[in-house]
Structures are given as C-alpha cells and as structure tokens.
Amino acid sequence: MTSGLRADGAAVLHALRVKGAATVADVARISAVDDAAGVLAMLVADGLAARHAAGEREYFTLTAAGANSDARAMLALSAGSEALAKLYDERFLALNTRFKELCASWQQQGESIELVEQAAEIHAALDGLLTVAGMHAPHLERYRIRLGASIEAFLDGDASALMAPIGNSYHNTWFELHEDLIATLGRTRAEEGE
C-alpha cells in the first residue's frame, strides 16, 4: 500500500486512478470503502486528490502527487509478479478481444441465445482468471464479485446488466478491471496499443 496512507486511503486513491473522474458513489463501488466521502476529503486535504463541481455534480480526480503515489504503490504490489503479467498477456487480452466482439455483435444484432451463451462462457473464463489474479493482487477480487453480480442479473433476464452505459453494468466493470490491470502492472493504454 501507499506509504503513509491507510488501506482505505490507498484503495480510494487507486479507484480514482482507475476511473479518472469519479463521483463518491463511483469510488465507493470500485474501492469497496464504506466511508468513501470521508476518505476522499482526507485525500483532498493531503493534496492527493482534487474536488471538482460541474453544476450540481461533484466529482474527484487525482492530482499529480496522487497519481505518483498510486503508481508507486502499484509498482510495489506488482514487483516480481510475473504470474500476473503472464495472466494478463496470455489470457486476459484474448478474453478482452472476445468480449469486445460480443459487445459489437450485441449492439448490431441484439439479444440472441448464442450471444447469451457466449457471455456466460466469457464470464466463466474471466472468473477463473480473476481467482488466480486475486492471489497476486488481492484488490482484483472485488471485480470478480462485481462482475459475478452483473452477469447473474444479465442471465436472469436484465439485458441492461450487460452493456448499460451508466452504472455497474458488466461492460463498465470490465472496462474498470482492464484499467486496473494496466495500472497494477505499471503499463499505460498507449503501451497496450488502445
């Protein structure tokens, strides 16, 4: 964890890095920290996060110091974690391609039994990957739980649980997971070619 920060502070800092610009609710969902508002206030006071307002909407971002602090924490976490890098390179990226193809097909064709089955297969593979990844980076376990809840809702008939553009849809959580994996491994989107 980040030097000088409690575990909840480090989790909130990392959630901001993953989300970019985040509301208190976003941070609470991603970090699983109950007092996200209080921790955000502490991070703002410490100069690690900045508070912004757009009309009535309040959101937070990392400052340069906060981004550096989280990057150092993730570097320490992933140091020597060749296994996590291997999982990402050899398994996650292939699943990510399959998931993107599924999303494109869903948008073009709409719901079909074949696409629902593909979503379930992709999730089963991702769930296994996250079980192993969580052994190397425990904070990734939160995604396994969140994605599991989204796929369950989707398979129970809530089509919006797969790709709703706002909220805790499977697609949005997948994107956050991908950002988190990149950050945890000390990589950038530019390095990923995305």
Side-chain angles (χ1 to χ4, degrees), residues 38 45 53 65 75 88 104-105 173 189 193:
L75 184 62
Y88 178 79
S105 295
T173 305
R189 278 277 179 187

Side-chain angles (χ1 to χ4, degrees), residues 26-192:
D26 293 333
V27 169
R29 185 180 68 244
I30 296 168
S31 68
V33 170
D34 291 333
D35 184 22
V39 175
L40 281 164
M42 176 194 73
L43 293 175
V44 169
D46 290 346
L48 298 173
R51 181 191 169 279
H52 309 275
E56 293 184 19
R57 184 174 178 262
E58 177 182 67
Y59 66 96
F60 297 83
T61 59
L62 287 179
T63 62
N68 288 335
S69 182
D70 185 69
R72 285 191 308 273
M74 290 300 106
L75 184 62
L77 178 69
S78 65
S81 185
E82 293 172 17
L84 185 58
K86 186 174 180 176
L87 278 172
Y88 178 79
D89 292 331
E90 295 180 4
R91 292 176 55 192
F92 179 79
L93 290 177
L95 281 175
N96 192 54
T97 299
R98 286 181 61 199
F99 185 64
K100 284 189 213 179
E101 290 167 354
L102 170 73
C103 291
S105 295
W106 190 271
Q107 289 174 325
Q108 293 167 359
Q109 303 168 24
E111 184 174 351
S112 73
I113 291 176
E114 179 184 328
L115 292 177
V116 170
E117 289 172 352
Q118 284 179 24
E121 289 169 13
I122 290 168
H123 176 73
L126 182 64
D127 189 67
L129 183 151
L130 287 174
T131 298
V132 176
M135 291 183 231
H136 304 286
H139 72 282
L140 295 174
E141 175 67 16
R142 292 190 298 264
Y143 294 101
R144 195 177 72 71
I145 294 165
R146 289 175 57 208
L147 288 160
S150 293
I151 199 71
E152 186 176 317
F154 171 69
L155 295 175
D156 284 346
D158 180 0
S160 69
L162 182 66
M163 290 185 48
I166 297 173
N168 206 25
S169 71
Y170 198 89
H171 178 270
N172 289 348
T173 305
W174 185 293
F175 183 83
E176 291 166 7
L177 167 64
H178 194 176
E179 288 294 316
D180 202 328
L181 285 165
I182 290 169
T184 299
L185 292 168
R187 300 179 183 182
T188 65
R189 278 277 179 187
E191 291 170 337
E192 298 297 306

